[in-house]
Amino acid sequence: MQLPSNKVGLVLIVVVLVVVSTVFSSKIQRPKKAVDLQNVQLVVSRNTDSSYKSGDSDEDGLADWLEEFYQSDPKNPDTDGDGTNDGDEVAADRDPTVAGPKDPLITRSDMINTQVGSSTPGTVTDQASIELFSQYLMLKKQGTLKPGDEAKLVDDLSRKVAAEASLRDKYSIADLAVTGSTKETITIYGDRVAQAAIAFFLEMDSYKNFSNSQYLLKISDVYKKYADTLVQIRVPGVVQDVHLVFANYIYKTGVFFEVLSKSDTDPITSLVVMSQYRATEISEQQLYTTLGQYFKNNDILFDTESTIRFWNNFQK
């Protein structure tokens, strides 16, 4: 029997999504660019309530989530058609996907040797699937697997991987070049932010005809570069807090698109980051508007026509 693949671990991904969703509530809309995320959409469309962890759709004695890991069919009580239902085969340490009677399950030692012998650590999804499956097999082989243990294993590990895949800030106040707050420094600051934003939008537009995978990676790089540019701008002290939030938000948007480009190979990270990003209580539009209104309320006047037009878009 093969190790559970990143796609076979869908149940873990579903539970991760449920756990993350209880912590973060959706606040902002999905980016307008259409993204082909068939794998993510499949996961989201599945049952995401707690019954999925203990349900047994085909009543073969093997919970639906375990069918995912054993790669058996949760809607067919005898996946391999050898006359023994999947639950009885697993209980007898047989593979429910290979016709018996000579169909031994992979052993815990085989799994550990495979994991240790791997030259690469794999994605968060790979690591989570292997860890969960090996923990389950250990309890099963020891004969200490109790009712409810499976669900607890999934919950514990899903919280752990959710933390590992967390969307974090990159910058702190110490990374900013903070300067005095005079009309001159604020005017210069507003002009440089506007010019950086204009360059960013122009570069984004140059990739509009790229395919989805190319587009996601390109705009991820553009967002991250934009964030670094924002951090290099000298920031008046009166707007340093807003600017820090702004730079981190732009950087995290870049990370968001990066993980979406890898949704097929690392769906857990994609789902965790997607949930956290959607739960952000700000948006790019709000941040531009906050700065634009500040400039208007404090009578900050700009000389460059492109800067004037830019901030006029965000002033009421």
Side-chain angles (χ1 to χ4, degrees), residues 93-251:
D93 291 330
R94 289 173 50 189
D95 189 339
T97 66
V98 177
K102 295 182 179 180
D103 56 340
L105 275 175
I106 184 172
T107 64
R108 173 169 161 72
S109 59
D110 289 336
M111 176 171 287
I112 293 176
N113 289 338
T114 300
Q115 184 177 2
V116 173
S118 175
S119 59
T120 57
T123 66
V124 171
T125 301
D126 295 331
Q127 296 171 30
S129 296
I130 291 174
E131 184 176 348
L132 177 60
F133 200 51
S134 63
Q135 288 180 23
Y136 165 75
L137 285 183
M138 178 179 66
L139 293 177
K140 183 176 179 296
K141 296 294 184 183
Q142 291 176 344
T144 58
L145 191 65
K146 303 184 296 296
D149 279 352
E150 298 100 329
K152 185 177 185 304
L153 282 175
V154 173
D155 284 339
D156 290 346
L157 188 57
S158 63
R159 292 177 188 279
K160 176 182 176 182
V161 298
E164 291 177 354
S166 181
L167 188 60
R168 301 178 178 87
D169 287 347
K170 178 181 180 181
Y171 312 107
S172 66
I173 287 291
D175 295 311
L176 301 183
V178 181
T179 187
S181 302
T182 65
K183 276 207 170 185
E184 180 182 6
T185 59
I186 295 172
T187 301
I188 294 172
Y189 165 76
D191 181 66
R192 290 181 177 174
V193 170
Q195 295 306 312
I198 292 169
F200 162 75
F201 290 130
L202 287 173
E203 187 170 2
M204 286 278 287
D205 191 59
S206 69
Y207 299 126
K208 63 184 179 182
N209 294 322
F210 277 51
S211 66
N212 276 332
S213 59
Q214 290 177 311
Y215 176 80
L216 290 171
L217 287 174
K218 285 292 186 181
I219 63 173
S220 170
D221 289 341
V222 176
Y223 266 102
K224 289 181 179 180
K225 183 171 69 174
Y226 181 29
D228 284 338
T229 299
L230 289 172
V231 171
Q232 293 168 13
I233 295 173
R234 293 183 68 82
V235 184
V238 292
V239 294
Q240 65 178 18
D241 291 337
V242 173
H243 190 81
L244 180 62
V245 171
F246 188 17
N248 277 315
Y249 178 80
I250 295 299
Y251 168 75

Side-chain angles (χ1 to χ4, degrees), residues 13-64:
I13 301 166
V14 170
V15 177
V16 169
L17 181 61
V18 175
V19 171
V20 173
S21 296
T22 62
V23 179
F24 301 97
S25 58
S26 297
K27 298 292 184 181
I28 59 176
Q29 296 182 347
R30 186 173 180 167
K32 294 181 180 179
K33 176 70 178 181
V35 180
D36 182 14
L37 295 174
Q38 293 180 351
N39 188 56
V40 173
Q41 291 169 351
L42 171 65
V43 172
V44 174
S45 68
R46 301 187 64 134
N47 294 328
T48 56
D49 56 46
S50 59
S51 65
Y52 185 73
K53 289 177 285 182
S54 57
D56 183 4
S57 298
D58 54 13
E59 299 181 346
D60 59 359
L62 194 62
D64 289 342

